[in-house]
Amino acid sequence: MSKKAFTTLALLVITSLVLVACGAPSSPTTPGEAPSAEAGCSDAIGCVEVGPGESLEIAYALTVSGATAFLGEDSRGAIEIAVAEWGEIHGHAIALSGEDTGCNIEGGQAAGVRLAAQPNLLAVIGTNCSSEAVGGLPAISEAGLLMCSPSNTAPGLTDPNENWAPGYFRTAHNDLFQGRVAAEFAYNELGARTAATIHDGSPYAEQLQAVFASVFAELGGTVTFQGAVNENDTDMRAILTSIAADSPDALYYPIFEPAGNFITAQSSEISGLEDTVLMGADGLFADGFPGRSGPNSVGMYLSGPYVAAGSAYDDFLGKWADQIGGVPPSGFHAHAYDCTNMVLTAIQSVAQVGADGTLLIGRQALRDAMSATSGFAGLTGNLTCNEYGDCATGEALAVFEITQAELDGNWPPPVVYQP
Amino acid sequence: MGRFFGRRINFGDLVVQLLQVVVLVIVVVALYNTITTGRYTSRHWVSLIFAGLAQGSIYALIALGYTMVYGILRMINFAHGEVYMAGAFSTVFLAQHFASNGFLNAQPVLAITVLILFAALVSMAVAFLLERIAYRPLRNAPRLIPLITAIGASFTLQYTFRGFYGTQFRSYPEVTALRGTVSLFGYSIPIVQLVVLAAAVVLMFVLYWYVERTKAGKAMRAVSEDKAVARLMGIDIDKVIVTTFLIGGALAGAAGVFNGLYRPQGVYYFMGFFPGVKAFTAAVLGGIGNIPGAMVGGLVLGMLESLGPNAILEGLGIPGANQLKDVIAFTFLVLILIFRPQGIFGERLREKKV
Amino acid sequence: MSEARNNTAPSSVWKSVLRFGLVGGAIALYFCMVGMVAAFDQRFLVAGQLTLGDLVLYVGPFLAGLSTARALADRTAWQRLLFGLLAGAVAALPSILIMLFSQQVNIGAVFVSLSSPLINILTFGRGLPDGLPLLVGVFGLLGLLGAAYTFLSQQARNAVNLALLVIVTVALFSDIPIRVIEKYFSARVARAIFQGNALLPLSAVVLSLLTVGLSYFGSLRAAKKKVGESKKPERLILGRYPINQVLSWALVIAFLLVLPQTDRVLAHVMMFIGLYVMMGLGLNIEVGFAGLLDLGYVAIFAFGAYTIGILTTQAAIGTFGLSFWVALPIAVIVGVVFGALLGIPVLRMRGDYLAIVTLGFGEIIRLLALSDWLSPLVGGAQGIVRIPSPSIAGFDINSPERYYYLVLIGVALTAFLAVRLRDSRLGRQWMAMREDEDVAQSMGIDLVQTKLLAFAIGSASAGFAGAIFAARLGGIFPHSFSLIISITVLSAIIIGGFGSIPGVIVGAAVLVGLPELLREFNEYRFLIYGILLVVMMLTRPAGLLPTDTFKRELESLEEGDEGMNNPVSAGG
C-alpha cells in the first residue's frame, strides 16, 4: 500500500471508529430495553418481541465440561427433554442455546456476560455450581433475564443481604437443608453418637459438612474430627488414620469423585474404621460411583435429591432412555426439568399474542409470573416460589443406601430414609 | 541492602541461618506435641510410613524419567506426567478385560506382567513421539522454549487422551492375590505396598546398573557430560536421547500400572499432572540428574506427605491438616534447596550447568 | 518432514507417497479419534456447504498431497498431481482400517469417539462398505488440491491463505459481527450475510473474492514498487516521528478505546486480556529482563485479589470496608512486599531449581488461601464474596466496558514503567545479570539488591491485576488462583516474543482471548491451546513479535551447537 493510501485509509478508519463510539448507546443499557419503543410494551425493564416465524430463545448455563461435567450433562438432558415436550409456545418454536460454566466463578461470569448480550434471550436455566452463580448472576440479572438454577445449593444465593439479585430462582434445596437431613439420619436412624467429616475445599462440600457438624452436635452427638483433603489427592490414608484414632460411628464426606472414590476404598484398610458407617452426598450420587469405588461402597449412604417413583417420573426416565440414552448421570435432572417447565409456563402465561402471531413478552412480567408460581406440580413435588427465588419443596431429598446390586450396575439405589 | 549489615555478612546468608533455626524449633515443638498427646500408637506410624513408601515408590519411578531426561538434555520434560497417564489410562481397559475373563485372578503374575509391558509400550510410544515431534527440532533453542513446548505438549496429551477415552473416571480391577497383609516385626503391612516398593527398588537398581555398567549407559553418561565431545567419540547422540526417552517412558508406564494396583480408583485424563509435578519435586529433592537421588527423593517426598500432616501440623494445632500436605512437601523442598542447593544427593554442579 | 532432494528414484517416489499419505492419514484419524470431527459436524462455517468438522478432517489428506508434490519437485507437473492424488487416497487408509476393525472388535467401548455418528460422517451416510470408495475418492481429490496448491505463485498462495483465514475467522467468531451488525444496522442485514452462526455461501464467496482481490492487488503493487522506486525520504513528518508511525499508533489506540464499546462480550474478553497483559509485563521484568524463571507468579496475583477482598468486602468476614481506591495501592504494596519476600529464599537458586521452587510457592499460597486453618482470615473454601465495584464521584465502575478502561489505564502505566525500566540503569543491570551473574557481580552489581528489585517491581503489576480481578468478579475463590495462570502468563510472554512489550500484548490476546471467544468449543479449547503452543514454538520459536536482539540470538543459535551455554538461555 502506498503511503498516501495508507494515510487516507487510516484517517477514514479513525473517523469511522469515532463515529461508532459517539453513536454507540451509552453503556449500561440493558439489551432488553432495545425494543421497548415498540408499541404495547409497558414493562418496567423491557420486552422481547418474537416476530412471526421466529423462535423463543432460552439458554442453559451449565458445567458441561471438565470434572463436573456429569452435573451439567444431567441437567442439560432434562432441559432438552422438557423443551422437546413443549415443542412450541403460541406457535413459536423454542430455541435452546448454551454456555459452559466450568464450575468456577470466572466461567460463570463469562457465561453471564455472553448470555446477557443476546438481545432476545428470555431465560437462563442454570447454573450448576453456586460459585458460577456468584459470578454470572449480576450480569444476567442486570440484563433483565430470568434465571432458574437446578442445583445451586449455597444459602447466600437466595438471601437478599448476600448474593441474591432480581430474577434469580432455584428448584434446588439449599445446603442447610441437606446437611440437616444427613445429620438427622445419622443420629436418629443410624444411632450414631460420634461422627467425623471431610471436605475437599469446594465451597459446596465445606458448607455441607459444616451444617452437618453443627446439626449433629445440636442433636447431642459428638463431632470427633473435621478435616479436609484436596480434590486431586489420591492417598487418603493419613486423614483416615487421624479419623480412625477416635473410631467414630459415622464418617460424612460430601465431596466429589475421584477423591470420594479413594476415601471409600481406602477406608477399608485402616484399622479403627471397621464399624464406621460411610456417608456421602449428591456430589457422589453418580451412576457408576459404586463400581468405581469398589466393594467397600456397599453399605454406604448417600444423601441426595429424590424423586418419588410415579408415573410422571417413570415417563421422564423413559424419555431420557429414548432421547439421550441410558439413565441420568447425576441427581439434579428432575430439578432442571422442573425449572424448565416453570420457566416455559411463565413465558406462556405472560406472552401477549399479536394479530400476526408476534409475541410480546415483558421481562418484569415474566419474573413476576415466576415468583407467583404456587403449587406447581413438578417431578420434585409441589413447588411454590418465595420472593427471593427459593422454589424448592424440601420434600425432594432422601438418603439412599448402596447395596450389592448397585455395585453390579443397578442405578439409582434404594431409598432408606426421607425427612 | 547487604551493605546495611557491613561488608562481610551476606544478607541472604543471614536470613537462611535464621530460617534454619526457626524451622527446626517449629518441627521439634510440633513433634513433641503430637507424640505427647498419645493419639497415635506406633502401629499408626508404621502403617503411615509404609503407605508413604508405596506412594514414594510411584513418585520415584516417574522421577527417574525426569531425572534422566534432565541429565541428558538439561530440560524439564514437563509432559512426563502425561506419559505416565497415557500408560495408566490405556492399560485400565486391558486390565478390566483381564478381570472380566478371569485371567487376572487365575494367573496374577503373568497378567500383571502383561499389563506392565502393555503400559510400558504405550508410554514409550508417547515418549518417543514427544521427543520426535516436540523436542528434537528445538534441541538448540534457548531453554525456555522447550519448557513452553513441554507445557503445550502436556495439555495436548491430556486432552488427546480425554478425547480418546472420554471423561469418565475408571478403576483398575482388584487383584485378589495382592489383597491382605503380611506381618513384619509384629506390624501388619498390606502386601501391595511391599510389592510396589520392591518393584520400584528393583527397577531403580536395574536402571542404575544399565547406566553405570553397560556400554549404552556409558554413552549416555558421555552425552550428559558433553554432547560435542561425545559426538567426536562417535556416539550417536540422537539414538542416546531417544533411548533415554524410551527408558523414562517405560518406567512411567510401569509406575502407572503399579499405581493402579495400589490405588485402583480415579484413572482419568488429568491423573498425571500432579504426580508429574511431585515427581519433578522428588527429582530436584534428590539432586536432579542423579538416579539414586530420584529414588530417595521420591521416597522422602512420599513419607513427608504421609507423615507430615499428622506428625507436624496436628502438633501445631492446625485444623484441616491433611489439605496442607503439599504445603509441607513444597516447604521441605524450599528448605532443602536453601541449605543444600544441589539437592540431597546431587554433586555440586558447575555453576553454569545448573 | 524432511524433503527428498534431487532426482527421485521410482522407489523413493512410492516411498514418499506412502509416507506422506500415511502421516496425513494419521492426522485425519487423530482428529476423528479425539472426537473433533464428529463434534464439529454440526458447526457450519458456510451454511449448508462446509462444517468445521469437514475442515478438520480435510487437513490431513490436503497436507499429504501438498508434501508429496513438494518432495517430487523435479518431476513433471502431471506426475506431481497424480502422486498428490495418490497420497491423498492413501491418507484414507488408516481411518478405513480402524472402521473395519471396529466392526470386528468392539473397540468403540474404549474409544468413545469411534461411534456411529463418526462412521456416518466418514462414509457420507452410505453405510460401511458403500461409503469407503467415496472416502478414498474425496481424500484423493483433496490430495490433488494439495498438489495443485504447490503450483500457485507466492502471491496467489498468500491470497488463498488469507481468504481461507478470513472466512474461517469470520465464521468462527460470527456471534460478534452478528451482534454488532444487529446493533448498528438491523437484524435483517445480519440475516442477509449469516445464517445462524455460519456465513451464507454467497457472502462467503464475496468475502473470499474480496480478500483474494485485495491481497493479490496489494502484493502486485508492492512487488512493482520494490522493482521500480528506490526508497524516497519521508516527507510527512509530525514532530519527531514520521506521520505513518503516528497514524499507526493512533489507529491502535483508537481501536483499543472504541472496540469494546461495540460489544459487551468483546469488552469482557478484552478486559481479561488486559489483566494478563499487565501480569505479562510484570513477569517480563523478572523473566525477560532479569532472567529469573518464575512459575509462581499467580501467588502475587492472589495477594492482590485477596487484599481487595479482605479490605473492601461487605460480607461478615471483612471488618475494614475500605473503598476500592484506598485498597488498590495497598494491594499493589502487598504484592511488592510479598514479591520481595518470596524472592529472598530463592536468591541463590538458578534456572530449573528456581522454576520448581517458585511453582511450589504458588501452590503453597493457593493451599493456604483454601485452608481451614486461615479461613477465619481469608474465607477458606467459601472464598470472599460481596466485593463491591469501585466508583469515582458517583460514577460506578460496574460494567465490562468500564472495567476494561480501568484495566487499560493499568496496562498503560505498566507498559510505561516497563519501557522506562528497560532503558534505565537498573534495566541494564538486570540484563547484565541475565547474561552472566558472575561477570555482573564482578562489574560491581549488587546481585541481592538487583534480584530483589526485579521480584518486587515485577510483582507490582500482578498486585494491581489481582485487585481489578477481585473487584470485577465481585467474589474470589481460591480455585481461581491455580498454576494455570502462571503458565498462561509465562506462555504469553514467550508466544508474543521474548522480552518484547507489544509481544506480550499479542501473546495475551492469543492465549487468553481466543479460548475465551471460542468458549463454544469448550470441550476442545485446551487441546487447541496445547497444539497451538507446540506448533508455535516449533515454527516461530522467537514468538509473534520478537525483539530484534532475541531474534538475532536465536538465529545465531540455529547455526551454533549447544543451547544451554548461550546467554539467552534465560532460565539457565
Side-chain angles (χ1 to χ4, degrees), chain B residues 1-3 10-13 15-16 19 70 73-74 76 78 93 133-135 137-145 147-149 151-153 155-157 159-160 162-167 170 226-228 231 273-274 277 280-281 284 287-288 317-320 323-324 326-327 330-331 333-334 337-339 341-343 349 351-352 354, chain C residues 30 33-35 109-113 287 293 295 344-345 347-353 355-357 359-361 363-364 366-368 370-373 435-436 438 446 448-449 452 483-484 487 490-491 494-495 498 522-524 526-527 529-531 533-534 537-538 541-542 550 554 557-558 560-565 568-572:
Chain B
M1 260 174 237
R3 266 172 250 129
N10 186 318
F11 177 66
D13 284 345
V15 173
V16 165
L19 210 65
Y70 189 89
L73 286 177
R74 304 270 178 276
I76 308 176
F78 211 84
F93 301 101
I133 297 175
Y135 299 152
L138 294 172
R139 211 171 278 160
N140 292 327
R143 41 199 320 179
L144 266 180
I145 290 187
L147 179 71
I148 297 295
T149 316
I151 290 170
F155 278 117
T156 309
L157 285 172
Y159 285 85
T160 296
R162 181 191 143 124
F164 284 175
Y165 303 138
T167 51
R170 313 271 172 174
D226 193 325
K227 280 201 206 52
R231 188 176 291 142
F273 186 77
F274 281 98
V277 171
F280 181 53
T281 308
V284 172
I288 195 154
I318 292 175
Q323 70 183 157
L324 297 176
D326 290 357
V327 173
F330 284 122
T331 310
L333 173 79
V334 174
L337 287 184
I338 289 174
F339 303 136
Q342 68 275 33
L349 297 170
E351 291 275 274
K352 276 285 169 213
V354 178
Chain C
Y30 172 82
M33 296 299 273
V34 294
V110 173
F111 293 97
V112 289
S113 307
V287 184
L293 179 52
L295 282 181
I344 292 173
L347 279 175
R348 299 197 300 183
M349 294 172 203
R350 293 188 191 192
D352 305 313
Y353 287 81
I356 189 72
V357 168
L359 185 152
F361 278 146
E363 280 294 286
I364 289 176
R366 182 181 69 86
L367 289 169
L368 287 179
L370 180 64
S371 67
D372 289 355
W373 179 35
E435 304 296 312
D436 194 320
D438 300 329
D446 181 348
V448 170
Q449 186 179 328
L452 285 185
L483 179 61
I484 184 106
I487 289 178
L490 183 65
S491 306
I494 299 194
I495 288 256
F498 198 56
N522 45 52
E523 289 287 323
Y524 295 100
F526 284 109
L527 180 60
Y529 187 104
I531 293 176
L533 274 184
V534 175
M537 288 297 100
L538 290 179
F550 187 55
L554 206 68
L557 266 177
E558 300 282 308
D561 188 18
E562 303 285 297
M564 64 229 187
N565 292 332
V568 258
S569 50

Side-chain angles (χ1 to χ4, degrees), chain A residues 228 230 232 237 242 262 292, chain B residues 39 169 171 262 265 314 323:
Chain A
N230 289 311
N232 290 306
R237 290 171 179 87
S242 303
F262 288 117
R292 289 192 285 269
Chain B
R39 188 175 156 86
F169 302 108
S171 296
Y262 174 49
Q265 295 81 24
E314 273 187 30
Q323 70 183 157

Side-chain angles (χ1 to χ4, degrees), chain B residues 217-332:
Chain B
K218 202 180 226 173
M220 221 171 247
R221 280 179 290 138
V223 174
S224 144
E225 276 304 316
D226 193 325
K227 280 201 206 52
V229 174
R231 188 176 291 142
L232 290 177
M233 298 292 154
I235 295 172
D236 183 347
I237 309 249
D238 280 342
K239 206 171 125 194
V240 168
I241 291 173
V242 168
T243 316
T244 310
F245 271 87
L246 289 180
I247 293 175
L251 291 170
V257 174
F258 286 124
N259 179 64
L261 297 175
Y262 174 49
R263 264 182 327 231
Q265 295 81 24
V267 178
Y268 72 125
Y269 69 95
F270 195 62
M271 68 179 291
F273 186 77
F274 281 98
V277 171
K278 293 291 177 53
F280 181 53
T281 308
V284 172
L285 213 53
I288 195 154
N290 182 305
I291 290 173
M295 189 76 206
V296 172
L299 295 181
V300 167
L301 190 68
M303 293 227 277
L304 264 179
E305 286 188 4
S306 186
L307 290 169
N310 299 22
I312 299 172
L313 295 185
E314 273 187 30
L316 297 174
I318 292 175
N322 294 89
Q323 70 183 157
L324 297 176
K325 72 177 184 194
D326 290 357
V327 173
I328 301 181
F330 284 122
T331 310
F332 185 72

Side-chain angles (χ1 to χ4, degrees), chain A residues 64-67 69-70 73 199-201 224-246 257-258 261-262 265-266 269-272 287 291-295, chain B residues 39-40 43-45 47-48 51-52 54-55 59 162 167-171 174 179 190 192-193 259 262-270 274 278 305-307 309-310 314 319-326:
Chain A
V64 287
S65 72
F70 72 99
E73 281 158 11
H199 71 84
D200 64 356
T224 57
F225 183 92
Q226 278 179 283
V229 295
N230 289 311
E231 51 187 359
N232 290 306
D233 284 355
T234 54
D235 212 320
M236 306 297 182
R237 290 171 179 87
I239 191 166
L240 291 171
T241 302
S242 303
I243 291 168
D246 302 304
E257 291 187 83
N261 301 127
F262 288 117
Q266 290 171 19
E269 298 169 18
I270 308 292
S271 58
D287 177 24
R292 289 192 285 269
S293 303
Chain B
R39 188 175 156 86
Y40 304 109
R43 217 187 55 212
H44 287 126
W45 295 122
S47 82
L48 282 181
Q55 170 69 74
Y59 287 157
R162 181 191 143 124
T167 51
Q168 265 214 341
F169 302 108
R170 313 271 172 174
S171 296
E174 203 173 2
R179 225 187 294 168
V192 63
Q193 293 181 355
N259 179 64
Y262 174 49
R263 264 182 327 231
Q265 295 81 24
V267 178
Y268 72 125
Y269 69 95
F270 195 62
F274 281 98
K278 293 291 177 53
E305 286 188 4
S306 186
L307 290 169
N310 299 22
E314 273 187 30
N322 294 89
Q323 70 183 157
L324 297 176
K325 72 177 184 194
D326 290 357

Side-chain angles (χ1 to χ4, degrees), chain A residues 114-390:
Chain A
R114 289 172 73 108
L115 292 170
Q118 296 181 20
N120 297 319
L121 191 66
L122 287 162
V124 177
I125 316 291
T127 59
N128 285 125
C129 301
S130 299
S131 57
E132 298 165 351
V134 173
L137 181 56
I140 289 175
S141 175
E142 195 202 315
L145 293 167
L146 176 67
M147 174 171 170
C148 183
S149 165
S151 65
N152 287 164
T153 56
L157 283 168
T158 45
D159 182 343
N161 295 319
E162 295 266 335
N163 295 107
W164 178 80
Y168 179 79
F169 296 88
R170 65 172 162 201
T171 53
H173 49 78
N174 76 34
D175 290 333
L176 301 177
F177 199 73
Q178 190 181 174
R180 172 169 291 277
V181 168
E184 285 174 350
F185 171 74
Y187 191 87
N188 297 330
E189 304 293 315
L190 295 178
R193 290 298 173 266
T194 53
T197 66
I198 303 176
H199 71 84
D200 64 356
S202 67
Y204 157 84
E206 203 275 334
Q207 177 93 41
L208 212 46
Q209 65 83 29
V211 175
F212 175 93
S214 73
V215 174
F216 193 77
E218 206 176 277
L219 291 170
T222 311
V223 179
T224 57
F225 183 92
Q226 278 179 283
V229 295
N230 289 311
E231 51 187 359
N232 290 306
D233 284 355
T234 54
D235 212 320
M236 306 297 182
R237 290 171 179 87
I239 191 166
L240 291 171
T241 302
S242 303
I243 291 168
D246 302 304
S247 292
D249 298 331
L251 170 60
Y252 185 56
Y253 48 105
I255 61 176
F256 294 91
E257 291 187 83
N261 301 127
F262 288 117
I263 292 183
T264 309
Q266 290 171 19
S267 62
S268 68
E269 298 169 18
I270 308 292
S271 58
L273 292 179
E274 292 85 356
D275 301 324
T276 303
V277 176
L278 304 180
M279 292 175 66
D282 42 31
L284 295 177
F285 194 86
D287 177 24
F289 164 73
R292 289 192 285 269
S293 303
N296 206 41
S297 61
V298 173
M300 181 174 173
Y301 296 94
L302 297 176
S303 60
Y306 169 63
V307 182
S311 60
Y313 189 54
D314 290 342
D315 197 30
F316 172 83
L317 290 179
K319 281 180 183 153
W320 188 289
D322 288 346
Q323 291 176 29
I324 290 142
V327 292
S330 184
F332 286 103
H333 45 272
H335 298 78
Y337 182 80
D338 285 353
C339 254
T340 317
N341 280 324
M342 282 161 66
V343 165
L344 293 177
T345 308
I347 291 175
Q348 186 181 35
S349 70
V350 301
Q352 303 164 28
V353 188
D356 58 350
T358 302
L359 294 188
L360 201 61
I361 299 159
R363 291 187 181 276
Q364 185 59 47
L366 186 57
R367 286 178 175 178
D368 293 342
M370 186 77 174
S371 61
T373 301
S374 160
F376 182 89
L379 287 182
T380 57
N382 289 324
L383 297 140
T384 299
C385 298
N386 73 13
E387 59 177 320
Y388 298 119
D390 250 328

